[in-house]
Amino acid sequence: MNFLEKRIKKDGKVLSEHVLKVDSFLNHQIDPNLMLEIGKEFAERFANDGVTKIVTIESSGIAPAVMAGLFLKVPVVFARKRKSLTLNGDLLTASVHSFTKNETNEISISKKYVNKEDRVLIIDDFLANGQAALGLVEIVQQSGAKVKGIGIVIEKSFQQGAQILTKQGLRVESIARIASLDNGEVTFINEKVE
Ligand code: 5GP
């Protein structure tokens, strides 16, 4: 098990066969040291991809994305889920159906911050059915920029997201990969093989 998988075993709460709660270090309270490790890991995995920008989605993608940006020395742009008074002018938008909230949101970023010269690393906290990541890919592609890959903190590999993205030729790098949440227990992909 890697550093993140160990932390998930220790502090993650299995809410159902489909949902993991990690409020104590990622989704509500944030552990800066863990985020630093996660950022370093993403930066190592995408070190040779010429990344010029990181794109994530508010709010839980921001902490890991900023840390990755620190190591890759590139700016971080987060897509907004609500229209903001200060977010006006030319916007790139996509519709995203939320797995946890069961609602559809329009997400947007300003055209000012991603353009066709950019090579983008997309980062998010969880990968379930891939809707959030696909929305971000759509926005980046609208800008004319290239998607170099998708960095995920926690992938639930028993859901469709990773497969859908990979089938589209996108590179997905997930730090923790969960094979199952059955019986109230987290089992990782590499644990299953052992
Ligand atoms: P997807 O769009 O891939 O279906 O779902 C990804 C989004 O849903 C993530 O941005 C995350 O906010 C949320 N999400 C999906 N599954 C879980 C989960 O098991 N636990 C938590 N805390 N969030 C999840």
Side-chain angles (χ1 to χ4, degrees):
M1 274 192 288
N2 67 24
F3 67 97
L4 177 61
E5 293 171 338
K6 282 184 192 144
R7 185 61 178 268
I8 293 169
K9 282 270 192 197
K10 185 168 152 275
D11 293 331
K13 302 271 177 284
V14 177
L15 291 192
S16 71
E17 285 172 3
H18 297 283
V19 180
L20 174 71
K21 186 167 174 164
V22 287
D23 268 20
S24 66
F25 61 85
L26 178 63
N27 291 136
H28 192 23
Q29 175 171 262
I30 295 173
D31 178 340
N33 281 313
L34 184 73
M35 294 305 123
L36 198 78
E37 284 298 304
I38 288 169
K40 202 192 281 176
E41 181 69 31
F42 282 138
E44 280 170 13
R45 294 191 192 195
F46 291 96
N48 302 317
D49 294 282
V51 172
T52 61
K53 201 148 284 185
I54 293 174
V55 170
T56 185
I57 181 165
E58 66 176 350
S59 51
S60 296
I62 297 175
V66 167
M67 292 303 183
L70 193 68
F71 286 100
L72 287 170
K73 299 187 172 62
V74 297
V76 178
V77 184
F78 65 92
R80 290 187 181 266
K81 289 178 180 162
R82 286 158 230 94
K83 287 256 153 54
S84 150
L85 282 179
T86 55
L87 190 68
N88 47 30
D90 278 348
L91 296 178
L92 301 164
T93 60
S95 276
V96 170
H97 185 77
S98 161
F99 174 79
T100 43
K101 297 189 185 114
N102 196 23
E103 62 185 28
T104 301
N105 282 307
E106 188 140 283
I107 63 164
S108 36
I109 62 178
S110 165
K111 280 184 182 163
K112 241 193 327 199
Y113 297 119
V114 185
N115 60 60
K116 63 179 187 334
E117 272 79 48
D118 279 317
R119 292 179 297 277
V120 175
L121 167 60
I122 289 172
I123 286 185
D124 201 9
D125 61 339
F126 269 90
L127 180 59
N129 294 316
Q131 296 308 299
L134 281 173
L136 293 171
V137 168
E138 196 183 320
I139 281 184
V140 171
Q141 287 174 344
Q142 279 174 32
S143 77
K146 261 209 161 65
V147 177
K148 296 303 290 186
I150 300 169
I152 296 293
V153 180
I154 303 173
E155 172 189 310
K156 291 183 295 178
S157 311
F158 56 89
Q159 292 177 294
Q160 296 306 304
Q163 214 179 331
I164 291 169
L165 297 169
T166 310
K167 266 198 186 138
Q168 294 200 8
L170 296 157
R171 175 180 166 205
V172 179
E173 288 286 344
S174 306
I175 303 182
R177 299 177 70 213
I178 296 175
S180 135
L181 292 174
D182 291 350
N183 308 315
E185 214 179 297
V186 184
T187 308
F188 296 103
I189 292 271
N190 49 0
E191 268 183 302
K192 265 204 147 170
V193 177
E194 275 165 18

